[in-house]
Amino acid sequence: MEKLSVEELEELREKELDERAERDERIKNTISRIKNTISLIRKLVCVLLVITVSLMFFYVRKDYNNYAGSQLVMAEVIGVDDASDENISVTYRYNIAGKEYESNKVQHLKKIKNGDKEEIRVKKDSPEVILKYNDVIFVIFCDVMLGFCLGLTVVFYLYEMANCMLPSEVEEAGTEDIVFTTTPGATFSSIMEENKKKNKKINSEKKI
C-alpha cells in the first residue's frame, strides 16, 4: 500500500465524515417515514375497530329487540317444499290466543314431514311472522362472533398492509456501515494504522 500524505488522509477523512453524515440523515428521514406510517396504521385500526364495534352493537341490539318481543309456540307441519339444496320451506299451522295462523319458514334441511309437531318462535305483535331461530342467546352469540371475525379481518388486513409498506422503508435506510477505501478492505482507520507502522519502521531503519 502506497503511503498517503497528510493532506490526502485529511481529504479522505472529510469524505468519509460527509458520507456518514449523509447516511445518518437518510436513516433519520426513513425512520421518520416509518413512524408516520405506523401512526397512520394505528389511526386506521382505531377508526375501523370503532366502526366494527358500532355495527356489531347495532345488529345485536336490533336482533335482541326483535327476539325479545317474541314467543315460542307449538306448531303443526302442514307442508314441506324444497327451497334449495341445503334448505327447505316448511309451512306451519299454529294457534295463538284462540286464533289460527298459517305461515312458512325457510330452514336448514332436515327430516320432517306433514303432521310433525315443531316448536317455533313468532313475533308477539306480528304472530304471522316466524323468526329464523328459537334460541335468543344463540342469535346474540352469532352477532358477536360475526363482529369478532370482522374485527380480526380488519386487523389482518392492516397487518399485511404494514408488512408491504415497512420493509421497503427499512431497506431504503441503508443501515449497514458505509466504508470508504483507497484499496479493497481498507478503511480510514486502517490506513492511518498502516501509515503509523510504516513510519515506525522507517524511523527504526534510520536509527540503524
Side-chain angles (χ1 to χ4, degrees):
M1 180 186 298
E2 78 176 284
K3 184 179 178 181
L4 297 177
S5 65
V6 176
E7 291 77 9
E8 290 174 326
L9 289 174
E10 286 296 329
E11 183 179 348
L12 180 61
R13 180 175 179 277
E14 290 178 2
K15 180 179 179 182
E16 183 175 0
L17 291 175
D18 289 342
E19 292 291 344
R20 286 189 176 183
E22 183 180 346
R23 179 203 62 181
D24 292 342
E25 183 66 23
R26 187 167 64 252
I27 293 174
K28 182 179 178 181
N29 292 337
T30 302
I31 291 175
S32 177
R33 288 197 297 271
I34 291 174
K35 288 181 178 180
N36 291 336
T37 300
I38 293 175
S39 177
L40 176 61
I41 291 175
R42 285 177 178 173
K43 291 178 181 178
L44 286 174
V45 168
C46 292
V47 171
L48 292 176
L49 286 180
V50 167
I51 294 174
T52 300
V53 171
S54 299
L55 288 174
M56 183 178 67
F57 178 78
F58 171 78
Y59 282 107
V60 167
R61 183 178 179 182
K62 179 182 177 181
D63 283 336
Y64 177 80
N65 291 336
N66 193 30
Y67 277 79
S70 64
Q71 61 180 337
L72 291 171
V73 297
M74 190 61 66
E76 178 185 359
V77 178
I78 61 174
V80 180
D81 298 312
D82 293 333
S84 65
D85 293 336
E86 298 180 353
N87 297 315
I88 55 176
S89 177
V90 182
T91 303
Y92 292 98
R93 180 188 293 131
Y94 48 97
N95 287 279
I96 297 178
K99 186 176 181 180
E100 187 176 272
Y101 297 90
E102 288 185 7
S103 187
N104 69 304
K105 172 187 177 182
V106 176
Q107 59 190 55
H108 291 300
L109 184 64
K110 72 173 189 175
K111 291 182 179 180
I112 191 171
K113 62 183 184 300
N114 291 346
D116 287 349
K117 299 292 184 178
E118 292 282 331
E119 193 174 48
I120 60 175
R121 181 175 289 275
V122 299
K123 300 184 69 173
K124 288 182 179 180
D125 55 353
S126 302
E128 68 279 1
V129 177
I130 303 177
L131 299 175
K132 186 176 182 179
Y133 301 104
N134 291 345
D135 191 347
V136 179
I137 296 178
F138 176 75
V139 175
I140 303 302
F141 175 77
C142 288
D143 287 338
V144 172
M145 289 304 298
L146 180 62
F148 180 72
C149 292
L150 182 60
L152 285 180
T153 302
V154 169
V155 172
F156 176 77
Y157 171 77
L158 292 174
Y159 174 78
E160 289 297 321
M161 183 174 68
N163 279 344
C164 292
M165 295 175 66
L166 294 182
S168 60
E169 297 282 359
V170 174
E171 288 172 5
E172 187 180 336
T175 54
E176 68 263 9
D177 290 337
I178 300 175
V179 296
F180 304 93
T181 65
T182 54
T183 58
T187 62
F188 175 75
S189 58
S190 65
I191 292 173
M192 291 292 293
E193 187 66 26
E194 186 68 22
N195 277 275
K196 286 181 181 179
K197 289 180 180 180
K198 285 186 176 182
N199 290 334
K200 187 176 181 181
K201 183 177 180 182
I202 292 171
N203 292 331
S204 298
E205 290 177 352
K206 286 181 177 179
K207 289 180 180 180
I208 296 172

